[in-house]
Amino acid sequence: MQNPPDSGRILLVDDEPAFQRLGADFLRGLGHEVVVAGDAEQALAAFATLPAPDLVLLDLAMPPTMDPEAGLELVPRFARVPVIVWSGHGDHELALRAAELGAWDFLTKPIDPDMLRFVIARALRKAKLDAELRALRAAQAGDDMGLVGQAQATVQLRAMVRRVGPTRVSVLVLGPTGSGKELVARALHASSPQSENAFVAIHCGALSAELLESELFGHLKGSFTGAYRDQPGLVEVAHGGTLFLDEVGEMPPPMQVKLLRFLQEGTFVPVGGRSAKKAEVRVVAATHRDLEAMVRDGSFREDLYYRLKGVVLRTPALGERPADVPLLATRFLHRVAPRAGLSGDALAWLAAREWPGNVRELKALVEAAGALLLPDQPEVDAPLLRLAAGEADGDLPAEPAAPLEGLGPLDAALAELERRLVRDALQAAGGNQSEAARRLGISRVGLIKKLARLGLR
Ligand SMILES: Nc1ncnc2c1ncn2[C@@H]1O[C@H](COP(=O)(O)OP(=O)(O)OP(=O)(O)O)[C@@H](O)[C@H]1O
Ligand SMILES: [Mg+2]
């Protein structure tokens, strides 16, 4: 028989055999499943047994002591679910203490069946709503894995990350600069069963072949000048977790051989060492370069290429997924200015723009605009974006220079002087903010802030 919607699994804790039988029959008649316990020990054991109860009915006076105080101590042990307590006497203070300990409701024996039915139904409904809310929150939190976007390509990318993340397959992430390759690598790690272990990133182009080897595989004390002590390799740090080989296309050929051996055999020899060590890592590699072309022209080893590209994931250029721009921009803005919005003309300006630096460029621009918002400005608009992008100079009102005397208080006069100097410098620099900032002897960011403060935009 199908259970009614508000039915649940109830743990009935009462020492009176007659009440156990009658109560259990009554509850089963309402469609609930019932587990009965006669004392505290049985109750705790039943509570810990799967499937776990959804609700506990607890008689406070229990053997061996029959002291309601002892029953009260049980209430917090069942905190995960609603606990309805009762006792033989309607003691107001006892009810209050039970409530303080987290009890859902307090009834007095003899129990009124209608009241019991009502209280149980309400408690179960509340517990169910709580559970739904928790599940929704969890789903939402884990949902985009930090990969914001609704474009088809982004939705597919997320689906692939979710699918591939939990496996041990090597992943090669390909995409232009700033398009989210590292973010994908981190999302893969986060969605793997090894997410508790380390995620270790190494930039393969930033170091010489020798240094890269010593970083990856570690070195022994005295193996080269400056090696004052043994140093474990990053592959050991990443053991059990994920090793992210960033810009793997830049890896010098001698290192490519050593990396391949490690990937094939799971062993490596630290610099200056003799014996091989073991480490087990999940490898995610990324590059903005055309690895296949590099294989063809011989600058990247073919065998290593095939070893790395277990699964290939692509992070498309932002220009190929325009639907993501407003979503990303809003998300980035809210991180620096939680209550601010983007005006219609701002969104249009963003949509019309090209993004050679992809998401990273969009992020930097929106964050700069958010930082330039004046306290009374609720929205980032197109002029503010242009200002942040260093394109606002054409908009500056050109005022004829007026004599400074008669400007009133010193503050106002100084601001006016500053305004003129800034405007002149911009004009002399042909609108180039960096050049104008140099002429004024301040940083470009300093100039942008000044422009905003002086209302020159
Ligand atoms: N889909 C996205 N959602 C939210 N943030 C993103 C997304 N894609 C990229 N970003 C952000 O953009 C910035 C650049 O991303 P990331 O560093 O992952 O790019 P990359 O492809 O590794 O760049 P590079 O080639 O320069 O190394 C980061 O701050 C990242 O958090
Ligand atoms: Mg990167």
Side-chain angles (χ1 to χ4, degrees):
M1 193 186 77
Q2 186 89 34
N3 287 335
D6 280 333
S7 69
R9 193 175 166 81
I10 296 179
L11 173 58
L12 171 61
V13 189
D14 198 299
D15 64 307
E16 283 177 47
F19 190 87
Q20 283 180 3
R21 203 181 56 250
L22 286 173
D25 283 351
F26 172 70
L27 295 169
R28 289 195 182 103
L30 295 174
H32 301 295
E33 277 179 55
V34 185
V35 184
V36 177
D39 60 30
E41 204 177 319
Q42 281 176 22
L44 290 171
F47 190 74
T49 308
L50 294 176
D54 304 309
L55 182 140
V56 177
L57 299 175
L58 175 64
D59 183 356
L60 288 179
M62 298 262 287
T65 63
M66 304 307 283
D67 173 9
E69 297 284 323
L72 276 178
E73 277 171 24
L74 280 176
V75 174
R77 309 283 292 270
F78 303 130
R80 202 163 37 75
V81 301
V83 184
I84 297 164
V85 297
W86 56 63
S87 88
H89 32 98
D91 181 339
H92 179 72
E93 207 211 331
L94 196 61
L96 211 61
R97 303 236 341 254
E100 271 169 7
L101 288 168
W104 169 264
D105 216 328
F106 185 92
L107 304 175
T108 307
K109 275 187 176 176
I111 307 285
D112 170 8
D114 283 334
M115 190 61 175
L116 183 61
R117 181 167 49 87
F118 171 74
V119 169
I120 289 176
R122 207 166 47 117
L124 284 176
R125 217 172 306 133
K126 162 81 163 53
K128 203 167 139 206
L129 280 175
D130 282 351
E132 276 171 12
L133 190 65
R134 266 198 309 276
L136 255 173
R137 287 221 176 101
Q140 223 173 21
D143 189 29
D144 68 5
M145 301 174 292
L147 288 164
V148 178
Q150 60 184 15
Q152 187 61 22
T154 310
V155 173
Q156 271 169 8
L157 182 63
R158 267 200 302 269
M160 283 299 282
V161 168
R162 221 172 265 126
R163 183 112 178 246
V164 178
T167 72
R168 299 294 290 168
V169 175
S170 304
V171 180
L172 181 59
V173 190
L174 300 176
T177 176
S179 59
K181 296 186 293 296
E182 176 156 356
L183 200 61
V184 165
R186 289 183 185 276
L188 285 165
H189 176 71
S191 56
S192 78
Q194 288 79 28
S195 61
E196 299 288 299
N197 296 334
F199 173 92
V200 177
I202 180 163
H203 192 296
C204 302
L207 304 167
S208 66
E210 290 74 25
L211 270 179
L212 185 58
E213 178 176 2
S214 123
E215 279 291 296
L216 263 180
F217 299 141
H219 60 249
L220 300 187
K221 180 177 157 187
S223 53
F224 53 85
T225 326
Y228 297 119
R229 59 177 77 91
D230 289 3
Q231 170 93 28
L234 291 182
V235 293
E236 288 165 271
V237 181
H239 177 71
T242 304
L243 179 67
F244 176 48
L245 300 167
D246 202 3
E247 290 310 341
V248 76
E250 321 289 323
M251 184 173 276
M255 258 321 284
Q256 292 182 23
V257 188
K258 290 178 180 156
L259 176 63
L260 179 66
R261 191 167 53 227
F262 169 64
L263 294 183
Q264 276 173 345
E265 290 155 24
T267 61
F268 63 96
V269 182
V271 175
R274 283 157 189 267
S275 48
K277 295 171 95 174
K278 274 188 184 202
E280 221 181 301
V281 299
R282 198 270 177 86
V283 174
V284 179
T287 181
H288 70 283
R289 312 237 326 221
D290 183 348
L291 265 195
E292 238 167 283
M294 293 179 68
V295 168
R296 277 196 301 277
D297 73 21
S299 52
F300 200 84
R301 288 186 68 101
E302 187 172 13
D303 42 11
L304 178 57
Y305 172 64
Y306 285 114
R307 188 80 209 182
L308 292 174
K309 66 166 255 184
V311 171
V312 176
L313 298 182
R314 287 177 203 276
T315 53
L318 190 52
E320 291 171 35
R321 41 185 168 122
D324 286 353
V325 172
L327 221 60
L328 284 165
T330 307
R331 189 70 70 95
F332 295 145
L333 177 62
H334 283 170
R335 276 187 211 156
V336 293
R339 278 185 298 277
L342 284 153
S343 71
D345 69 336
L347 290 171
W349 187 87
L350 290 171
R353 202 177 159 81
E354 284 183 26
W355 300 102
N358 295 298
V359 185
R360 179 179 293 116
E361 185 182 0
L362 175 68
K363 183 166 186 258
L365 179 60
V366 171
E367 283 176 354
L372 290 173
L373 270 173
L374 299 172
D376 57 351
Q377 217 177 345
E379 271 188 339
V380 167
D381 54 15
L384 187 56
L385 285 173
R386 276 206 299 279
L387 179 74
E391 296 172 3
D393 324 319
D395 290 356
L396 296 182
E399 284 166 30
L404 277 175
E405 65 262 26
L407 268 179
L410 184 61
D411 285 358
L414 285 177
E416 176 56 22
L417 184 60
E418 218 180 349
R419 220 172 268 128
R420 282 192 204 174
L421 288 171
V422 167
R423 208 181 286 130
D424 288 354
L426 273 167
Q427 218 155 38
N432 180 320
Q433 285 185 350
S434 304
E435 171 60 15
R438 202 188 54 76
R439 281 167 183 257
L440 291 166
I442 58 178
S443 68
R444 178 167 170 262
V445 174
L447 174 60
I448 293 178
K449 285 192 178 151
K450 226 180 251 307
L451 287 170
R453 185 165 51 78
L454 297 170
L456 287 178
R457 46 174 200 86

